[in-house]
Amino acid sequence: MEVYLCAVGIVAPGLVGWAQAAPVLAGARSYHPEPLPRYSPTMLPANERRRTTATIKLALQAAAEAMSSEPVSAPGAVFASSDGDLDIVDRLCSALALPERSVSPTHFHNSVHNAPAGYWSIGSGITAPSTSLSAGDGSFAAGLLEAATLTLAEARPTLLVAYDHPAPAPLDRIRPMSAPFAAALVLTPNRPNGALARLWMALGRSEETTLADGLEQLRRGNPAARALPLLGAIARGEAAGVTLPYLDGTALEVRCEPC
């Protein structure tokens, strides 16, 4: 399976935006995690903007960067998250534990797994179909495989957004994550001007690609951050093979070649 990568968006501590992240991922600068700056999704109307959560904002920020650097008309979309919005899960569980069991309509609205995709559609005005999926620690690989399949099957660009945000206590003991992370990729079936890389992918059983030091801690500490080895190869502008964890002991093997 072969597709072209046209644009990247990334949001993580110390890696806010591709311009800041690329030198770090390429090894030209040291990685220094810093708190994320506050982000307001100005693409949304005021009422919807007030309803967004930290998880939704994380996904929208990465998506907006990728699409602003490579605007394409009416792309399909794939949103991939291992656990969805765990803060909303905590709020719903807390509400249901109270005698009155009063659930906020906004929290209920945001509890569905495709809430970020819905907000993206509202903010971008793009009404093409979208897919929202979850595959545990293999969610990035599953999202990439789904996005590439849609790109080729429908012969049009696809936006992939992979995101996961740490849970509040006590859920963080069950599903610990070290930091928020989101990455967005714009894939096309044909090579456009300014493409960043050509990607080949196939399922296999190789050992997953690891990183060094702080970036490895980030990669292991957030399921969406399993994207980092691929993003590093793109940032270095070199031909490289990376292996991403998938499902049931399998892996997604990706060959990246600069355009």
Side-chain angles (χ1 to χ4, degrees):
M1 186 182 300
E2 174 185 316
V3 293
Y4 290 88
L5 172 66
C6 300
V8 178
I10 183 171
V11 184
L15 302 171
V16 181
W18 185 242
Q20 180 189 47
V24 177
L25 298 178
R29 294 182 189 171
S30 300
Y31 174 55
H32 299 290
E34 299 172 353
L36 292 179
R38 185 174 181 178
Y39 174 73
S40 177
T42 55
M43 67 171 64
L44 291 170
N47 285 340
E48 280 74 18
R49 189 160 59 244
R50 284 193 293 269
R51 298 188 184 106
T52 57
T53 65
T55 298
I56 293 168
K57 291 175 183 177
L58 184 69
L60 293 183
Q61 186 173 358
E65 182 194 3
M67 287 295 293
S68 66
S69 59
E70 184 57 40
V72 293
S73 60
V78 174
F79 283 72
S81 174
S82 71
D83 293 278
D85 200 323
L86 290 174
D87 183 64
I88 290 294
V89 172
D90 175 69
R91 290 171 182 266
L92 291 179
C93 290
S94 298
L96 293 174
L98 297 174
E100 61 273 19
R101 297 185 178 181
S102 178
V103 173
S104 160
T106 298
H107 295 162
F108 180 77
H109 169 80
N110 287 335
S111 68
V112 294
H113 197 71
N114 65 346
Y119 282 100
W120 168 253
S121 179
I122 293 170
S124 67
I126 297 172
T127 58
S130 67
T131 299
S132 296
L133 59 83
S134 173
D137 287 346
S139 292
F140 175 72
L144 181 58
L145 187 60
E146 178 73 8
T149 301
L150 289 174
T151 298
L152 296 176
E154 300 187 3
R156 69 174 178 182
T158 303
L159 169 69
L160 167 64
V161 187
Y163 60 96
D164 274 302
H165 195 283
L171 290 179
D172 59 343
R173 297 199 299 269
I174 306 300
R175 186 52 160 157
M177 294 187 199
S178 61
F181 185 94
L185 310 178
V186 178
L187 306 179
T188 60
N190 302 307
R191 178 176 177 173
N193 293 332
L196 297 175
R198 178 166 51 181
L199 306 179
W200 291 271
M201 58 194 76
L203 293 178
R205 292 189 176 273
S206 303
E207 291 294 322
E208 64 186 273
T209 303
T210 59
L211 300 172
D213 304 326
L215 287 176
E216 175 62 12
Q217 294 177 18
L218 177 60
R219 188 192 75 85
R220 286 190 174 275
N222 186 304
R226 304 301 199 274
L228 283 170
L230 176 59
L231 298 181
I234 296 164
R236 291 189 296 274
E238 63 182 23
V242 299
T243 302
L244 309 172
Y246 187 46
L247 298 172
D248 299 327
T250 63
L252 183 63
E253 298 173 353
V254 184
R255 179 71 180 173
C256 175
E257 180 180 286
C259 290

